[in-house]
DNA sequence: ACATTAAGTGATT
DNA sequence: AATCACTTAATGT
């Protein structure tokens, strides 16, 4: 599956050094403060990366999808640092784990590895800028709509199985506020609300 | 039928 | 926009 991305010799190196791990939906892959010992590449499924503040508030940073890797890992792994973020399996997930010890060597040895890392870094950085923009400049209702939309694309379904409480957590807001915003969206025929479920309508 | 959890609402900061 | 206190509705046992 990684064939078109990496050169043959690198694929061999991956085969001998990397391991594949499978996770179930909801599994915590890494938490804040844990040591990072490998670079994860998503083979299938979706990985959610978020930050947690000291009072337990959570804020969604981005999703990592198939053939992508988590750029935060790079900034952490250079010095064998602790993770600054929390990563959770958003769906059933299959990860290719590459020991960080190989990073330096591979960067010099394999051009396709280097460009893969660079490409991901750039993409991730842009995603982060987007979420910063949202938090800084957009109102919460716009953030909520954006969240619902990306959630829908990520799960490939317009039916979102989340409580208002969970959504509030992801957006670092509170349940009541999310409930009221969703209620407005429902009035505008943008969504349908059920218990633990939200149906997105095409008007959104 | 009852307990538990999700969602809705008004008031307050 | 967040928090509190309270109500109402849905769901599990």
């Amino acid at each position: 599956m990684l064939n078109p991305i990496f050169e043959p010799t690198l694929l061999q190196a991956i085969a001998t050094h990397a391991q594949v791990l499978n996770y179930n939906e909801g599994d915590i892959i890494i938490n804040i403060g844990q040591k990072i010992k490998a670079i994860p590449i998503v083979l299938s499924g979706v990985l959610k990366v978020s930050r947690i503040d000291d009072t337990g508030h959570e804020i969604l940073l981005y999703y990592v999808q198939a053939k992508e890797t988590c750029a935060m890992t790079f900034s952490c792994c250079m010095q064998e640092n602790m993770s600054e973020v929390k990563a959770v399996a958003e769906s059933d997930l299959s990860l290719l784990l590459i020991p960080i010890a190989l990073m330096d060597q591979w960067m010099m040895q394999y051009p396709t590895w280097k460009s893969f890392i660079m490409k991901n870094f750039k993409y991730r950085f842009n995603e982060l800028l987007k979420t910063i923009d949202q938090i800084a400049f957009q109102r919460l209702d716009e953030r909520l709509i954006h969240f619902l939309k990306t959630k829908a694309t990520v799960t490939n379904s317009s039916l979102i199985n989340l409580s208002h409480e969970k959504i509030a957590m992801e957006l670092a807001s509170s349940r009541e506020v999310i409930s009221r915003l969703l209620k407005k969206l429902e009035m505008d025929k943008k969504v349908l609300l059920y218990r633990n479920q939200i149906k997105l309508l095409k008007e959104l």
Side-chain angles (χ1 to χ4, degrees):
Chain A
M1 116 157 252
L2 295 170
N3 273 337
I5 306 179
F6 296 132
E7 58 208 88
T9 47
L10 176 53
L11 285 170
Q12 276 176 29
I14 289 173
T16 56
H17 292 109
Q19 63 171 319
V20 175
L21 278 188
N22 293 305
Y23 298 88
N24 296 316
E25 178 175 345
D27 284 357
I28 295 173
I29 283 82
I30 196 157
N31 219 325
I32 293 178
Q34 274 185 267
K35 235 188 221 120
I36 293 179
K37 72 297 178 217
I39 296 158
I41 297 177
V42 175
L43 294 177
S44 65
V46 180
L47 178 65
K48 185 182 79 182
V49 178
S50 56
R51 280 231 78 180
I52 314 278
D53 77 2
D54 39 14
T55 58
H57 286 115
E58 183 175 352
I59 187 148
L60 171 69
L61 293 179
Y62 50 75
Y63 291 108
V64 185
Q65 291 179 269
K67 294 184 204 171
E68 295 174 359
T69 182
C70 173
M72 276 310 295
T73 320
F74 310 141
S75 66
C76 296
C77 77
M78 310 279 180
Q79 317 272 325
E80 245 207 61
N81 273 325
M82 311 291 190
S83 176
E84 303 285 344
V85 299
K86 179 183 174 190
V88 178
E90 179 74 12
S91 63
D92 287 353
L93 187 69
S94 175
L95 287 185
L96 184 68
L97 294 174
I98 294 161
I100 60 169
L102 297 168
M103 263 286 278
D104 284 339
Q105 191 192 332
W106 285 13
M107 284 291 267
M108 294 183 287
Q109 200 170 343
Y110 304 109
T112 52
W113 177 255
K114 187 175 173 181
S115 67
F116 173 74
I117 297 295
M118 290 307 177
K119 198 183 121 246
N120 266 274
F121 205 90
K122 189 186 165 198
Y123 180 66
R124 232 65 265 188
F125 203 85
N126 281 333
E127 285 286 297
L128 269 182
L129 280 185
K130 268 193 221 164
T131 52
I132 289 173
D133 281 348
Q134 283 191 23
I135 295 165
F137 304 126
Q138 286 189 356
R139 287 177 298 131
L140 186 56
D141 56 346
E142 290 172 313
R143 280 210 285 149
L144 175 60
I145 290 171
H146 179 261
F147 171 80
L148 293 174
K149 281 180 175 171
T150 62
K151 183 78 188 178
T153 50
V154 137
T155 60
N156 202 23
S157 157
S158 60
L159 216 31
I160 293 170
N161 292 297
L162 278 179
S163 67
H164 299 182
E165 178 105 56
K166 296 254 180 64
I167 296 172
M169 299 270 279
E170 310 251 320
L171 299 176
S173 178
S174 58
R175 198 216 87 229
E176 298 93 317
V177 174
I178 296 298
S179 285
R180 286 177 174 129
L181 291 174
L182 283 171
K183 203 78 208 166
K184 258 186 224 158
L185 290 176
E186 191 180 36
M187 306 268 230
D188 295 344
K189 303 275 190 301
K190 306 265 178 71
V191 297
L192 292 177
L193 300 179
Y194 312 95
R195 184 180 235 242
N196 274 317
Q197 266 194 340
I198 298 166
K199 168 81 177 168
L200 303 197
L201 303 176
K202 37 182 177 273
E203 282 80 12
L204 188 74

